[in-house]
Structures are given as C-alpha cells and as structure tokens.
Amino acid sequence: MSHDWTAEERRLVDGLADMNEEDALPLARRMLLEDHADPMRVLGLCRAAMDIVGRRFEAGEYFLPELVLAGEMLDSIGAIAKPLIKQAGGGAAQTHGRVLIGTVAGDLHDIGKNIVTFMLDINGFEVRDIGVDVPVRRFIDEIRAFEPQVVGLSGFLTQAFDAMKETIAAFDGAGLRDRFKVMIGGGQIDETVRAYTGADAFGVNAVEAVALCRKWLGVAA
C-alpha cells in the first residue's frame, strides 16, 4: 500500500513497528515539539504502525510483550500530542454528552481507541476511557456508574469480534441495551462485523466516530 509519507514519517512508522524505541520516541518528540508537525497526522502515523504490529501479532511474528511495548510507546507519544491538539482547538467548554470507550477482552490494541478518545475530548464530549482487555462485567459496571449516551467498543484483532458480540449481548441481558448507542471500531471492522456484533454503527476512523456521536446526540457540526 502506498502512502504520501515523507522519509521522516516513514522512519517513524518503521521505528514504531520494529520496536525501535530509542529511535522512534525522540523522533516523534522532535516532530511534535520542534518541527511543529500536525499532531493528528503524527497520531495517524502511530496508528499505521500499530496496524503493522497487529498484523505481525496475528501472523505469529510478535507476541504479547511486543504489543505491550507498542502500547507504551504510543502512550508516550499521545501524552505529548494531546495537549497540542487541545491547544490548537482551543479546548471545548461545554459537554455534549458522555461516551464510555474501551478495548474488548482479549485485545491490547489501544492507539485507535486513544485517538478516538482524544478527538471526542477536544470536540466537547465527556469521555471515560476504561483501557484495554476490558471484561464484560467491567463494561456493565462502568455503564451503570457513568450512564453514557454512547458506548464505544474497540478491537483490532479478528478474535475481538466475538468479544464485541458477547459484550453487546450482555448489555441486552442486563437490561441496559436501550439506554445508549453502541459504536465499534478497529482494524478490520465493516458492515458485516457490525451486523454480527449487534452494534448500532461502526467507524473506520476517529473523525467518523465523532460524527456518529454528534449525530446521535444532536450536536451541530
């Protein structure tokens, strides 16, 4: 697949995907803080790298330690990027609604979830991110405590589809399903997966996720 990446951007993607922490983190820091690169573009490069990591995991080339290290590197980059995104957008004073988001049980992929969380946050939504490898019971407990209007389920690995289906079925079994909309997202999500899981909609990126939440909660663009 061809990308309109510069040589430096390609170096960042390759560095992250190859677990080259010593090269990738300083490079990302310099791009964001010295070169003033668009933080959303940098996060997009991070997502592309995580997609490569996920494919290598599914192919048996990487294992859980590599997924954990990738997540730690991306958390470090995200900690720099998020304030820059807020600064550029001027922040958001009002809260349009509450969104609960987490990566389903059995999946440690989080860069896509983190980007969606960032984008919802800077667009004025109150977001509670409950992390990765979230069991069904935790989702239900958090829904009862937070009372969100939207629940986002994230997952990159194909095995996450069954976990999404099980989680949404549990919402119905707990008598909660009619209280909120469910959106799903991740590496290979499409309409077939949406129908299989029972979600209300899917988004292929963070912009679509924000658009879904705006639509469902009646927020003007």
Side-chain angles (χ1 to χ4, degrees):
M1 182 183 295
S2 61
H3 296 279
D4 59 341
W5 294 336
T6 66
E8 187 173 61
E9 289 173 337
R10 165 64 68 181
R11 184 178 150 208
L12 177 61
V13 172
D14 290 344
L16 290 168
D18 294 341
M19 303 291 134
N20 188 350
E21 186 175 9
E22 294 78 9
D23 184 52
L25 292 187
L27 176 58
R29 191 175 296 112
R30 179 169 60 76
M31 291 170 70
L32 289 166
L33 298 178
E34 297 178 23
D35 301 340
H36 306 293
D38 178 357
M40 285 306 302
R41 183 168 178 86
V42 173
L43 289 176
L45 297 170
C46 291
R47 182 183 179 112
M50 191 61 191
D51 286 347
I52 296 170
V53 171
R55 288 196 294 272
R56 289 177 182 175
F57 177 83
E58 291 203 315
E61 298 171 33
Y62 280 173
F63 302 93
L64 283 179
E66 283 80 12
L67 288 189
V68 172
L69 176 57
E72 290 173 350
M73 289 191 292
L74 296 171
D75 283 345
S76 297
I77 297 171
I80 301 171
K82 183 174 181 180
L84 296 174
I85 295 169
K86 282 196 168 186
Q87 182 180 338
Q94 67 183 113
T95 299
H96 298 312
R98 292 182 301 278
V99 182
L100 181 75
I101 189 167
T103 300
V104 294
D107 198 323
L108 296 173
H109 175 251
D110 69 354
I111 186 61
K113 171 184 64 63
N114 290 350
I115 295 173
V116 171
T117 298
F118 294 166
M119 288 294 288
L120 288 170
D121 186 12
I122 65 175
N123 277 278
F125 294 90
E126 181 182 355
V127 188
R128 180 175 291 185
D129 180 351
I130 57 174
V132 300
D133 192 20
V134 180
V136 172
R137 171 50 57 187
R138 173 89 189 279
F139 270 112
I140 290 175
D141 290 345
E142 294 284 354
I143 287 167
R144 287 177 170 148
F146 189 54
E147 297 184 346
Q149 286 87 31
V150 179
V151 174
L153 305 181
S154 177
F156 178 82
L157 306 175
T158 52
Q159 68 199 47
F161 303 158
D162 287 332
M164 289 177 175
K165 181 181 178 68
E166 177 186 349
T167 301
I168 294 171
F171 296 161
D172 189 51
L176 300 171
R177 184 66 179 86
D178 61 350
R179 300 185 189 180
F180 48 81
K181 295 286 191 178
V182 178
M183 62 180 181
I184 59 174
Q188 312 297 324
I189 304 293
D190 57 19
E191 173 57 26
T192 301
V193 176
R194 185 213 61 78
Y196 174 73
T197 62
D200 293 296
F202 72 97
V204 298
N205 55 47
V207 173
E208 284 196 8
V210 172
L212 280 172
C213 289
R214 285 183 174 277
K215 175 185 172 185
W216 285 336
L217 298 179
V219 178

